[in-house]
Amino acid sequence: MKKIKEDILKAYHFRQAIKEFKEDKEISQEDFEFILETGRLSPSSMGWEPWKFLVVQNKALRQKLQEFSWGAKKQLPTASHFVILLARKANQMVPGSEYLHYMSKEIQNLPEEAEKMKQDFFGKFQENDFDLTDERKIFDWVCKQTYIPFANMMTAAAQIGIDSCPIEGFNREKIEAILKEEGVLDTNEFGVAVMVAFGYKKADLDWPKTRRPLEEVVQWIK
């Protein structure tokens, strides 16, 4: 058990926001499928899985995205794999929607009565507990959900010696317009939440983590 914990913490120390990757070193298909699987298996609120992962390997498309991705200027052309995490739009995430019916019926195998109870409960949660009462609030809440697989994939990558970089530095409207024009994004169903690049770092970057001390971050209430 101690060794497992040491290995996990080692991965967290290993993970850094890498700005540039070795262009001639590819992540194997087996390793990247493992990374994607950790994203797929990630938890989500009420198990709705309100996300989709776009793995952008097309160089021409990456070049188009680069113009409006100030936080990925070096990562887009050099990363072995580049993932854009999409979040479902509000019309997909309200009780009675086709998507929630599909998830309840086809994926979660709920009987009709249980599905109705779950969707009714979800509606009350949205309205009463989290104030998810307009399209923007719902979309922002869904974007928060995507950060769970987002983080899990980076941690999984670090555990097998693969580098990554989380990216929020982009113009969402411009990026969505490009993806829509390319025919890979239906903006009625999805919006862009966040990006992440994977690969092997170009330089031997090895600096210590700069994090606040645990006693400053954690407050115990006993």
Side-chain angles (χ1 to χ4, degrees), residues 17-154:
I18 301 302
K19 306 304 181 187
E20 191 171 2
F21 299 91
K22 293 180 179 178
E23 295 182 62
D24 59 349
K25 191 170 183 182
E26 289 276 323
I27 300 171
S28 71
Q29 182 175 342
E30 179 184 348
D31 283 349
F32 200 70
E33 285 179 356
F34 160 76
I35 292 169
L36 290 173
E37 183 70 352
T38 65
R40 186 184 75 88
L41 293 174
S42 295
S44 59
S45 183
M46 301 194 187
W48 291 136
E49 303 176 44
W51 50 58
K52 184 176 181 180
F53 311 147
L54 287 183
V55 184
V56 182
Q57 299 302 87
N58 183 284
K59 298 295 184 182
L61 177 53
R62 285 198 193 185
Q63 189 170 7
K64 289 181 181 180
L65 297 173
Q66 192 176 7
E67 181 180 355
F68 303 104
S69 303
W70 55 266
K73 290 295 185 184
K74 293 184 178 180
Q75 295 93 331
L76 271 164
T78 64
S80 170
H81 290 70
F82 195 89
V83 181
I84 299 176
L85 284 85
L86 305 180
R88 287 193 177 271
K89 290 289 186 71
N91 63 345
Q92 305 282 304
M93 296 301 299
V94 291
S97 72
E98 184 178 342
Y99 177 70
L100 295 191
H101 173 67
Y102 162 75
M103 286 298 298
S104 300
K105 188 73 174 176
E106 304 299 327
I107 302 300
Q108 299 173 354
N109 299 312
L110 296 180
E112 186 175 341
E113 185 177 344
E115 178 188 356
K116 184 180 184 306
M117 288 177 61
K118 181 170 183 175
Q119 296 218 31
D120 287 347
F121 179 83
F122 184 51
K124 291 174 183 176
F125 160 79
Q126 288 183 314
E127 184 176 352
N128 300 326
D129 297 328
F130 266 45
D131 187 29
L132 303 177
T133 52
D134 62 47
E135 290 187 0
R136 183 55 195 246
K137 287 179 179 179
I138 293 173
F139 180 69
D140 287 346
W141 176 79
V142 175
C143 284
K144 290 197 300 183
Q145 298 293 307
T146 70
Y147 277 67
I148 303 172
F150 173 65
N152 285 346
M153 287 191 286
M154 285 189 290

